[in-house]
Amino acid sequence: DDLTLAVPVAVSIAFISLLETLLAARLVDDKKCEDLCTFFYDENGELIPPAGAEGDAPPADVPTETILSLAAGNGLSVLAGGFGGCGLVPQTILNLNSGGGGQIATGAYAASMVLFALVIAPLVGQISNPAIAGIMVQVSLETIQWQPTFDTVKSAFENKEGAIIRLGVLVITTLLCYYVDFAVGITTGVVLDLIAQGKIGGMASRA
């Protein structure tokens, strides 16, 4: 049955898309020193409202608006005969490293995608597989957070408090992503990190 085959795969892809979109948003927060997609918790595990929030909460926070926009865009794409997409960590990092990060950069990216799809697609199709592989390798190297990874390993060797746990989370997440799939690996990594930070189990602390 086609539906039986399609639904589990679709749910898995949608879940990975949500996670990667929110992870990309967190990267923007880190790079721009903002807290738009970063949540903080008090000692009771309750979500701390954004700074300056008064009275009733806004109708939707930035992560919620991001996901709703993603869903709407994917829905329109399907109606037009296209396929779904999501916020991508590699492209986000390259955009930030190139000086982007605002609405102009986002609009330029969207316009470039339309241009590639409608005009330059035949030329893009002529790019050889080795060249594409080389581009993807370079993008992956730009994506890896080398300094935080090095700091985690160094702290573990120096036997700093909590460093072994952080290194364990890093290794487990990497292995699961490689040997199982991204959905399992990323979800497990996020849950383990929340447990390590005390945000699960009633011991939440400010991130």
Side-chain angles (χ1 to χ4, degrees):
D1 182 54
D2 292 340
L3 191 61
T4 304
L5 294 175
V7 170
V9 176
V11 171
S12 177
I13 293 175
F15 188 64
I16 294 173
S17 298
L18 293 177
L19 286 175
E20 182 158 18
T21 299
L22 294 176
L23 287 173
R26 282 295 304 272
L27 283 173
V28 176
D29 273 3
D30 292 340
K31 288 281 188 177
K32 298 179 67 177
C33 299
E34 297 177 341
D35 294 327
L36 297 179
C37 293
T38 305
F39 295 113
F40 299 107
Y41 302 84
D42 59 21
E43 63 276 4
N44 298 318
E46 298 293 332
L47 187 65
I48 299 175
E54 297 179 359
D56 295 334
D61 51 47
V62 173
T64 302
E65 291 177 346
T66 301
I67 296 304
L68 291 176
S69 300
L70 174 67
N74 284 337
L76 292 175
S77 176
V78 170
L79 294 177
F83 53 87
C86 68
L88 299 173
V89 171
Q91 281 80 349
T92 299
I93 292 178
L94 292 176
N95 187 26
L96 292 171
N97 289 343
S98 301
Q103 294 180 348
I104 295 178
T106 303
Y109 177 77
S112 299
M113 290 293 290
V114 172
L115 182 64
F116 272 102
L118 299 181
V119 180
I120 316 180
L123 296 177
V124 175
Q126 300 301 315
I127 300 176
S128 65
N129 288 334
I132 294 176
I135 293 172
M136 295 306 297
V137 168
Q138 180 59 36
V139 169
S140 67
L141 292 176
E142 291 285 342
T143 303
I144 296 174
Q145 301 294 289
W146 295 106
Q147 191 61 46
T149 302
F150 174 77
D151 292 341
T152 300
V153 175
K154 180 180 178 182
S155 298
F157 276 103
E158 294 175 352
N159 202 26
K160 293 184 178 179
E161 182 180 359
I164 298 296
I165 295 177
R166 290 193 295 272
L167 180 60
V169 172
L170 175 64
V171 172
I172 291 172
T173 302
T174 302
L175 292 176
L176 288 176
C177 286
Y178 185 81
Y179 288 106
V180 185
D181 62 47
F182 274 24
V184 174
I186 295 174
T187 303
T188 303
V190 170
V191 171
L192 290 176
D193 185 58
L194 291 174
I195 294 174
Q197 295 182 47
K199 292 180 180 177
I200 293 181
M203 299 184 298
S205 59
R206 190 179 178 89

